[in-house]
C-alpha cells in the first residue's frame, strides 16, 4: 500500500501554515526537518510532567526519565540494527559525533605522518574536525574526488588507501549533490587493509533503512533534527570493541567511575562518552520520531521517495536554462541547480515570496562548489511529506523566476 501523504502532512503542524499568504512549500529538509505532533507532544510532556536529571537520582521522576532515556537508546539501536545498545552514544548532533571520533580516535591512533582519507563531497563537519586533528598530530588529509555526475571516483580509492591511512571518513549521502555513495565497496576495500570506516549518515537515515551490521561500518552518525526529532541531539554508533579501546573525549559527571585527586577511572560504555547532563529530552524526542517513522513505514517512505526523485528530475530537466549539479544514479531527494545568468540568491528571494522555501549557498560543502567553479547552488531537499504537486509548483515558480529576471 502506498503512503497517504495528505494524512501524513496533517501530522506536521508547521506544514499547515501560510507564508506571504501562500501555502508553505517547505523544501529545505536537508537543513532541518519538521516535527510530527507526537514529537512535539513528547517534548512538551517531558517538560510539563517528567523532567528530572537522569542516572543520578533514585527518586520517582529521575528513575522514570532514566528508563525512558535508556529505552530511547534501545530504539536507536534497533533502528540502525546495532548489535548492542552499548554501541549507541547520544551526542549533540552529527557534528558533535564527528568531533568525538576525530578527537578520541585521533588521540589514540593517529600520529605524525599518518593519513586520514575523506571525500571531496563531505560536509564541512566531516572535513574540519579531521583537519584540526591533522594539525594537532602532523597527519595529512587525503581526498577521494568525485566525477562530473557527482559520483565518487572509486578507481582512485586503491591508490589513496595506503599503509599510513588510519581511518576513512565518508558521507553516506551528499547534502549538496544528492549522491548515495557506494559505501559497502569502500568499507570492503578499507577493511582489506584493516582500516576502519566512519560513515556520516546525516542525510541518509531520513530516507530509508540503515543497517550498520550489514554495512559493517565502524562508526555511523546522524543528527536528530534532520530525522524529524528535536534539535541539539544526535547519535554516534561505534563497534563495541573499537569504542572500548578509545579514550573519552570529554570529562565530567556521569562518564566517571571513581574520582579522586590522584586520578579518575571511567564509566563503562556507552556512558564513558556521555559527560555531563545528557540531552535526555532530545534523545527521547528522537526515539519518538523513529517510532513515528516505523508507524508510517520505512520501506514505503523509500518507495515513495523514489517516485518523488523520478518526478522531480524529469521536471527539472524539462526547464531550459536550468543546470543540475549532481546526477548520480543512486541518489536521495536532494537537488542542486542553477539558472543561467541568474544569481541564485535573486531566484531564492523570488521563490520565497511564492511560499517556496529552498536553500541557496554552499550548503557547507565549499569544496563541492570549488569543483564546479561556482559560488553556490539553489537546493531543493525533499522528504516523504513533500508532494508531486509541490514539485510542480516549484518548477512553475522557477519558470516565473526566469521570466521575471531575464
Ligand atoms: N553531515 C551532513 C552530510 C550534513 O548535511 C550535515 C548538516 O547539514 C551535517 C553533517 C551536520 O549536521 P549538524 O549540523 O546537525 O550537526
Amino acid at each position: 500500500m502506498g503512503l497517504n501523504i495528505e494524512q501524513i502532512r496533517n501530522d506536521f503542524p508547521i506544514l499547515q501554515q501560510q507564508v506571504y499568504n501562500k501555502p508553505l512549500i517547505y523544501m529545505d529538509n536537508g537543513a532541518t526537518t519538521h516535527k510530527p505532533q507526537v514529537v512535539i507532544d513528547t517534548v512538551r510532556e517531558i517538560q510539563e510532567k517528567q523532567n528530572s536529571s537522569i542516572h543520578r537520582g533514585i527518586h520517582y521522576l529521575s528513575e522514570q526519565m532514566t528508563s525512558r532515556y535508556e529505552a530511547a537508546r534501545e530504539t536507536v539501536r534497533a533502528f540502525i540494527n546495532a548489535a548492542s545498545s552499548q554501541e549507541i552514544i547520544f551526542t549533540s548532533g552529527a557534528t558533535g559525533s564527528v568531533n568525538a571520533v576525530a578527537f578520541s580516535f585521533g588521540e589514540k591512533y593517529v600520529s605524525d605522518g599518518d593519513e586520514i582519507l575523506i571525500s571531496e563531497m563531505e560536509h564541512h563537519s566531516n572535513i574540519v574536525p579531521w583537519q584540526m586533528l591533522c594539525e594537532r598530530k602532523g597527519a595529512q588529509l587525503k581526498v577521494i574526488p568525485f566525477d562530473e555526475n557527482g559520483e565518487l571516483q572509486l578507481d582512485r580509492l586503491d591508490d589513496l588507501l595506503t599503509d599510513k591511512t588510519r581511518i576513512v571518513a565518508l558521507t553516506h549521502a551528499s547534502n549538496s549533490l544528492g549522491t548515495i555513495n557506494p559505501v559497502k565497496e569502500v568499507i570492503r576495500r578499507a577493511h582489506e587493509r584493516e582500516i576502519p570506516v566512519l560513515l556520516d549518515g546525516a542525510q541518509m537515515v531520513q530516507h530509508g533503512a540503515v543497517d550498520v551490521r550489514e554495512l559493517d561500518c565502524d562508526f555511523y552518525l546522524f543528527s536528530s533534527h534532520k530525522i524529524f526529532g528535536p534539535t541539539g541531539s544526535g547519535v554516534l554508533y561505534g563497534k563495541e570493541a573499537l569504542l572500548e579501546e578509545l579514550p573519552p573525549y570529554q570529562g565530567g559527571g556521569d562518564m566517571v567511575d571513581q574520582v579522586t585527586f590522584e586520578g579518575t577511572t571511567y564509566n563503562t560504555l556507552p556512558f564513558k562518552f556521555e559527560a555531563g547532563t545528557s540531552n535526555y529530552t532530545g534523545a527521547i524526542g528522537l526515539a519518538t520520531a523513529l517510532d513515528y517513522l516505523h508507524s508510517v513505514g520505512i520501506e514505503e517512505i523509500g518507495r515513495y521517495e523514489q517516485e518523488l526523485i523520478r518526478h522531480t528530475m524529469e521536471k527539472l530537466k524539462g526547464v531550459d536554462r536550468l543546470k543540475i549539479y549532481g546526477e548520480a544514479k543512486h541518489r536521495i531527494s536532494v537537488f542542486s541547480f542553477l539558472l543561467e545568468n541568474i544569481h541564485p540568491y535573486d531566484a531564492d528571494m523570488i521563490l520565497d515570496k511564492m511560499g517556496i522555501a529552498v536553500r541557496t549557498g554552499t550548503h557547507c560543502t565549499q569544496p563541492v562548489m570549488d569543483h564546479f567553479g561556482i559560488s553556490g547552488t539553489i537546493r531543493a531537499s525533499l522528504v516523504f511529506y513533500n508532494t508531486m504537486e509541490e514539485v510542480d509548483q516549484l518548477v512553475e515558480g522557477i519558470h516565473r523566476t526566469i521570466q521575471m529576471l531575464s
Side-chain angles (χ1 to χ4, degrees):
M1 254 225 341
L3 299 182
N4 182 340
I5 305 297
E6 277 320 305
Q7 198 177 318
I8 284 169
R9 289 177 68 84
N10 286 335
D11 295 336
F12 293 82
I14 208 167
L15 297 178
Q16 313 310 320
Q17 68 185 300
Q18 302 214 324
V19 294
Y20 308 114
N21 294 320
K22 309 269 185 345
L24 170 66
I25 296 178
Y26 183 79
M27 294 187 169
D28 194 17
N29 296 285
T32 198
T33 54
H34 293 316
K35 323 303 166 201
Q37 188 66 52
V38 278
V39 170
I40 299 166
D41 290 346
T42 298
V43 170
R44 186 187 170 114
E45 181 216 349
I46 289 172
Q47 307 307 326
E48 281 183 355
K49 298 194 182 136
Q50 273 197 330
N51 179 50
S52 198
S53 184
I54 53 168
H55 292 151
R56 278 160 281 191
I58 53 164
H59 61 80
Y60 179 79
L61 286 183
S62 178
E63 288 207 334
Q64 291 273 307
M65 271 323 338
T66 302
S67 63
R68 285 189 79 178
Y69 181 69
E70 293 307 325
R73 200 188 303 279
E74 171 56 24
T75 302
V76 172
R77 182 207 66 72
F79 185 74
I80 58 171
N81 196 30
S84 153
S85 61
Q86 300 200 346
E87 298 178 320
I88 305 298
I89 296 155
F90 285 119
T91 64
S92 59
T95 303
S97 300
V98 181
N99 276 280
V101 179
F103 190 85
S104 178
F105 183 92
E107 278 308 293
K108 174 104 182 177
Y109 292 114
V110 178
S111 48
D112 194 24
D114 285 344
E115 294 168 2
I116 311 290
L117 185 57
I118 62 169
S119 89
E120 194 185 7
M121 67 176 84
E122 298 310 311
H123 188 278
H124 295 164
S125 63
N126 202 26
I127 301 175
V128 184
W130 301 112
Q131 281 176 328
M132 290 161 70
L133 167 64
C134 287
E135 243 169 66
R136 278 200 307 278
K137 296 284 185 164
Q140 201 196 339
L141 194 67
K142 293 218 167 159
V143 181
I144 315 167
F146 62 80
D147 65 19
E148 289 311 288
N149 285 332
E151 290 180 333
L152 216 55
Q153 292 188 26
L154 267 191
D155 54 333
R156 300 285 302 278
L157 185 61
D158 287 330
D159 284 343
L160 286 163
L161 288 170
T162 74
D163 55 6
K164 291 181 178 161
T165 313
R166 290 293 157 259
I167 191 167
V168 179
L170 177 64
T171 196
H172 197 167
S174 157
N175 70 311
S176 53
L177 297 167
T179 313
I180 298 177
N181 280 317
V183 291
K184 275 184 85 165
E185 179 60 15
V186 174
I187 291 167
R188 192 184 65 73
R189 293 204 214 167
H191 281 182
E192 273 174 8
R193 298 168 183 251
E194 295 183 2
I195 300 166
V197 178
L198 170 145
L199 294 182
D200 173 356
Q203 296 292 338
M204 194 63 216
V205 282
Q206 60 280 56
H207 297 293
V210 167
D211 183 332
V212 290
R213 271 189 284 176
E214 212 244 324
L215 290 171
D216 198 25
C217 55
D218 300 276
F219 298 103
Y220 198 93
L221 55 95
F222 59 96
S223 287
S224 158
H225 71 104
K226 292 187 198 284
I227 185 169
F228 318 104
T231 44
S233 187
V235 170
L236 170 63
Y237 157 83
K239 282 182 180 164
E240 189 171 341
L242 200 46
L243 291 178
E244 286 287 6
E245 294 298 315
L246 296 185
Y249 72 106
Q250 284 183 328
D254 235 19
M255 52 75 73
V256 289
D257 176 27
Q258 296 293 321
V259 181
T260 67
F261 290 120
E262 285 67 48
T264 290
T265 53
Y266 302 125
N267 206 338
T268 51
L269 285 178
F271 313 111
K272 179 171 87 170
F273 294 106
E274 292 182 358
T277 304
S278 298
N279 181 359
Y280 46 86
T281 311
I284 295 164
L286 165 63
T288 308
L290 300 183
D291 286 340
Y292 172 79
L293 282 180
H294 275 299
S295 74
V296 173
I298 291 166
E299 294 201 345
E300 283 80 358
I301 289 174
R303 270 196 291 275
Y304 173 70
E305 287 191 4
Q306 283 308 311
E307 286 173 40
L308 208 52
I309 289 170
R310 257 195 305 278
H311 184 72
T312 311
M313 267 302 194
E314 197 183 297
K315 285 276 173 175
L316 289 178
K317 283 187 170 175
V319 180
D320 277 348
R321 302 178 52 194
L322 182 150
K323 180 169 165 45
I324 297 173
Y325 292 85
E327 297 215 47
K329 278 200 269 318
H330 201 32
R331 63 177 306 127
I332 52 168
S333 42
V334 165
F335 309 91
S336 265
F337 58 89
L338 283 177
L339 307 175
E340 197 183 292
N341 296 332
I342 293 177
H343 196 284
Y345 279 105
D346 293 339
D348 190 342
M349 267 164 52
I350 292 178
L351 290 169
D352 176 49
K353 294 293 182 292
M354 299 175 192
I356 302 172
V358 290
R359 181 159 292 247
T360 297
T362 66
H363 320 297
C364 293
T365 55
Q366 207 176 314
V368 171
M369 304 303 137
D370 292 345
H371 176 110
F372 292 110
I374 54 178
S375 61
T377 67
I378 304 168
R379 180 185 74 180
S381 49
L382 282 54
V383 290
F384 67 97
Y385 51 57
N386 289 114
T387 65
M388 306 289 168
E389 293 72 35
E390 285 184 317
V391 172
D392 296 346
Q393 280 167 290
L394 167 70
V395 171
E396 174 58 29
I398 292 171
H399 280 299
R400 282 174 57 196
T401 305
I402 294 172
Q403 268 168 15
M404 285 169 75
L405 294 179
S406 294

